[in-house]
Amino acid sequence: MANASALIIHKDKILLFHRENISTIPCPDMWHLPGGGIEPGETPEQAVRRELSEEVTFVPKKLQLIYNIENKSFIFLSFVNDTEAKLFKLGPDEGQEIRFFTIDDALKLPLTPNMRLYLNEYGDVVKRWM
């Protein structure tokens, strides 16, 4: 199944989503970008907007596609200001928590394998955007 995620940047931090600690889901109790699977009939942008609404209750107006891996994994980018950053809240029945982290602090967390790969490989690029 294809998936779509959002890299939300506020000042020098990125928004991460703490997955539920349930053994039946992939990568339980780990941190990742907010996002999820693309449902039949959805575009990647529609999917990431739906997932943001469900997981973090706020969808920034501007989302730019920055990464497309073989039409299976899509990452969108958005920069948010102080007012918008306060609008993010953990969605009902979704995960354990959400929080903004510096990349260095994020690398100390239990991250999903893909998230760790992204930050190790592209963390310097993201830091330059901040």
Side-chain angles (χ1 to χ4, degrees), residues 1-3 38 44 65 67-74:
M1 173 185 251
N3 64 69
I38 300 172
L65 179 64
Y67 203 60
N68 175 350
I69 306 170
E70 300 175 0
N71 285 327
K72 292 181 182 175
S73 185
F74 301 85

Side-chain angles (χ1 to χ4, degrees), residues 3-21:
N3 64 69
S5 301
L7 174 60
I8 308 292
I9 297 176
H10 175 245
K11 296 182 179 176
D12 65 340
K13 297 180 179 181
I14 59 174
L15 182 66
L16 294 180
F17 175 81
H18 191 181
R19 298 175 58 78
E20 292 182 16
N21 192 10

